[in-house]
Amino acid sequence: MTRRQFLLSSAVALMTPYYRARAAQIPKILRASKAKAQLAPAEYAKTDVWAFGETIPGTTLRIKQGETLSTRFQNDLPEASSVHWHGIRIDNKMDGVPGMTQELVQPKASFDYEFVVPDAGTYWYHSHNRSWEQMAKGLYGPLIVEEHNPPAVDRDELLVLDDWRLGDDAQISGNFGSMMDHSHGGRLGNWLTVNGVGMNEASLQVKAFERLRLRLINVANAHVFNLSLQGLKGWIVALDGQPLEQIQALGSNIVMAPAQRVDLIVDVVEKPGSMGQLNVISRGKQVPIFRFQVTGDQREKAMAQPRALPANDIPAITNLDKAPITELIMEGGAMGRMRSATYKGKELTTRELVQEGMVWSFNGVAGMTDKPLLKAKRNETVRIRLINNTAWPHGMHLHGHHFRQIHENGKQGPLRDTILINRSEQMEIAFVADNPGDWLIHCHMLEHQASGMKTWIQVE
Ligand code: C2O
Ligand code: CU
């Protein structure tokens, strides 16, 4: 190579994003145990948590699309647990739902998970037993399924958002199962972390016009994040792991229900020496929870608009007119009109239900039902009308499938596995039931799930 050629090729190297696909990282053993994490500022004690791999968030799992994820879940907790792989269109027996797809994994016992990851995107895993308590203590982690041809970005970064309810001693406050939380908006915290780092300290060093892929995951029990970005411009490219057919320019805010993910491709548009921010919007104020410190120049101007990510192979929704509609009527909660509901086969008054820890119902039934909400033939199109007759928003999650909202005019929304339905709202969702098995559908505000909001569907 002549000197001139060398200069040219190194100049090109400087101009081109260098995103290197990281090697697959799947530990042979995924261990859940007690651990300590510095969630609060350094002058406070570390917080006692429950964690996968002794870190908050839990060990990041990375794997290539189409590969087989295989890991042994080792339960070193003082309580039984299981692992649910949220958003993965998974083989039913690996879905991690105790009493439905597997037995509880008792303390000191283990369970071998092995499944193919069919879709590229941003997913996560979490405990699916007593999740309102186990997840509030930290039992979750990111699961990244890499595209075979990842988009041209300089960096691929995770932003895992959680809120914690901490006491003055920086320990997790123990009032789990409070009926006040259950009947209102769920257990809301008083301390936010990004990637397990407190909101005053979480940061990343970036360069001017550096292009970042940001993978946001809301792992909070019940907190709906209303976010804004400052000093970064770009696009939403995927929701709940699934690429948008058309990337969408970032607006003034991003709303994320519990369990939802948003993938962004953004360019740093601040100058060296200044700072970009991820904010939560709280009572009209922008409160920074993550900072992007600009330390130099990556390039002279922003790169061109990115292309949409390659679509995953999910069947298109067809024959909508012929598909029957199943209603899912949500009732209960504070300021609700629920007078009674069936619980474990008995009709109970609201007062009797509260004694059982139940405050919400789906179609007049509180808690798990013997019969599924619906039975679908394989590859049948399923339509569900969600009717929120409560005074609260809910983040509804379907296991094993991604669905689309069907708007009044017939337009189909983006693929999602969790959708926010506001108080008194009604919406229709539809999907092709191509994944055989029994699948939960529940509110991902974990206190609502625990106190009534869950049912299931059966795909032949
Ligand atoms: Cu992420 Cu049944 O849950
Ligand atoms: Cu809910």
Side-chain angles (χ1 to χ4, degrees):
M1 198 188 275
T2 67
R3 183 175 152 73
R4 191 179 141 73
Q5 273 171 336
F6 173 76
L7 284 175
L8 270 176
S9 60
S10 56
V12 169
L14 280 177
M15 298 300 292
T16 326
Y18 65 90
Y19 173 72
R20 45 199 150 66
R22 285 172 246 205
Q25 294 164 9
I26 305 296
K28 285 208 173 66
I29 294 177
L30 184 63
R31 202 172 80 92
S33 66
K34 292 186 174 180
K36 286 185 185 294
Q38 191 70 51
L39 302 177
E43 59 268 30
Y44 287 84
K46 288 190 172 175
T47 305
D48 291 316
V49 296
W50 289 11
F52 289 105
E54 293 183 55
T55 62
I56 300 291
T59 311
T60 297
L61 307 184
R62 277 183 186 271
I63 187 166
K64 274 239 154 62
Q65 180 172 20
E67 288 182 351
T68 299
L69 190 158
S70 124
T71 192
R72 169 164 296 177
F73 166 53
Q74 173 64 42
N75 185 3
D76 287 344
L77 298 165
E79 196 172 283
S81 193
S82 72
V83 185
H84 171 57
W85 311 90
H86 185 116
I88 302 292
R89 295 186 303 131
I90 205 167
D91 180 358
N92 190 249
K93 55 184 186 299
M94 294 290 134
D95 198 37
V97 181
M100 187 163 208
T101 67
Q102 69 170 87
E103 297 292 305
L104 272 172
V105 184
Q106 297 298 332
K108 292 287 158 216
S110 68
F111 186 91
D112 292 341
Y113 288 99
E114 185 170 281
F115 53 89
V116 172
V117 288
D119 303 329
T122 304
Y123 302 93
W124 62 304
Y125 62 95
H126 60 77
S127 146
H128 214 293
N129 184 42
R130 299 172 50 77
S131 49
W132 73 93
E133 180 167 344
Q134 294 195 355
M135 286 169 68
K137 288 181 172 173
L139 283 176
Y140 55 76
L143 166 53
I144 306 306
V145 183
E146 308 237 20
E147 294 90 6
H148 287 283
N149 294 302
V153 296
D154 297 303
R155 296 231 302 251
D156 185 322
E157 298 289 345
L158 271 162
L159 297 173
V160 180
L161 313 177
D162 200 357
D163 82 331
W164 305 79
R165 191 180 286 180
L166 301 181
D168 293 339
D169 54 356
Q171 299 309 309
I172 297 171
S173 86
N175 58 339
F176 291 103
S178 124
M179 270 300 135
M180 182 71 180
D181 291 341
H182 283 213
S183 60
H184 290 72
R187 180 183 166 103
L188 300 172
N190 52 9
W191 183 244
L192 301 178
T193 57
V194 180
N195 300 336
V197 180
M199 52 197 289
N200 300 334
E201 287 154 60
S203 72
L204 187 70
Q205 296 200 338
V206 297
K207 300 261 159 66
F209 295 119
E210 189 172 11
R211 174 157 284 185
L212 316 172
R213 177 180 190 163
L214 301 177
R215 301 173 185 262
L216 279 61
I217 310 179
N218 180 357
V219 301
N221 275 33
H223 189 116
V224 178
F225 279 92
N226 188 9
L227 302 164
S228 69
L229 274 173
Q230 245 170 274
L232 300 162
K233 278 218 175 90
W235 302 266
I236 298 176
V237 298
L239 294 171
D240 296 349
Q242 302 296 347
L244 296 183
E245 285 88 358
Q246 275 171 349
I247 65 170
Q248 189 189 316
L250 265 176
S252 57
N253 68 327
I254 305 170
V255 176
M256 293 182 75
Q260 288 187 326
R261 286 89 64 216
V262 175
D263 279 43
L264 307 174
I265 291 184
V266 293
D267 298 315
V268 177
V269 295
E270 288 289 341
K271 293 198 180 62
S274 53
M275 206 163 61
Q277 281 173 206
L278 175 68
N279 304 311
V280 289
I281 306 171
S282 164
R283 296 197 194 95
K285 276 207 202 118
Q286 318 251 347
V287 182
I289 57 168
F290 193 87
R291 292 169 172 81
F292 299 86
Q293 288 152 352
V294 188
T295 60
D297 289 302
Q298 181 80 10
R299 54 180 67 78
E300 273 170 17
K301 58 181 177 67
M303 294 170 63
Q305 175 167 333
R307 273 195 301 253
L309 302 175
N312 291 312
D313 188 15
I314 295 181
I317 299 167
T318 53
N319 290 325
L320 254 185
D321 324 332
K322 290 194 204 91
I325 301 180
T326 304
E327 287 193 341
L328 199 167
I329 302 170
M330 310 152 84
E331 287 183 307
M335 295 169 283
R337 289 186 300 266
M338 186 171 81
R339 291 285 157 264
S340 67
T342 304
Y343 178 63
K344 292 189 174 160
K346 268 198 241 141
E347 181 81 9
L348 301 184
T349 64
T350 312
R351 180 187 296 244
E352 290 166 328
L353 286 166
V354 168
Q355 275 157 15
E356 302 288 341
M358 292 290 133
V359 280
W360 306 92
S361 67
F362 283 166
N363 293 345
V365 181
M368 261 312 251
T369 49
D370 298 338
K371 287 205 200 94
L373 172 72
L374 61 92
K375 285 187 190 182
K377 296 213 174 58
R378 190 152 183 201
N379 296 325
E380 191 181 331
T381 296
V382 171
R383 299 169 73 170
I384 301 176
R385 182 144 199 93
L386 301 171
I387 301 170
N388 184 358
N389 288 344
T390 80
W392 302 89
H394 301 286
M396 292 294 292
H397 171 48
L398 171 66
H399 283 216
H401 299 78
H402 278 72
F403 54 80
R404 293 180 189 271
Q405 184 177 352
I406 309 294
H407 296 276
E408 301 284 323
N409 59 7
K411 250 193 91 196
Q412 299 189 2
L415 286 163
R416 301 222 71 142
D417 60 43
T418 306
I419 198 157
L420 187 64
I421 177 163
N422 286 313
R423 67 182 72 157
S424 309
E425 192 186 355
Q426 301 200 7
M427 69 165 65
E428 187 183 319
I429 60 169
F431 58 97
V432 177
D434 65 340
N435 199 356
D438 295 345
W439 304 104
L440 281 184
I441 173 166
H442 64 81
C443 180
H444 219 290
M445 289 158 171
L446 302 171
E447 291 71 27
H448 294 177
Q449 177 190 356
S451 57
M453 302 192 102
K454 63 175 171 184
T455 183
W456 56 294
I457 67 164
Q458 188 168 65
V459 182
E460 280 180 7

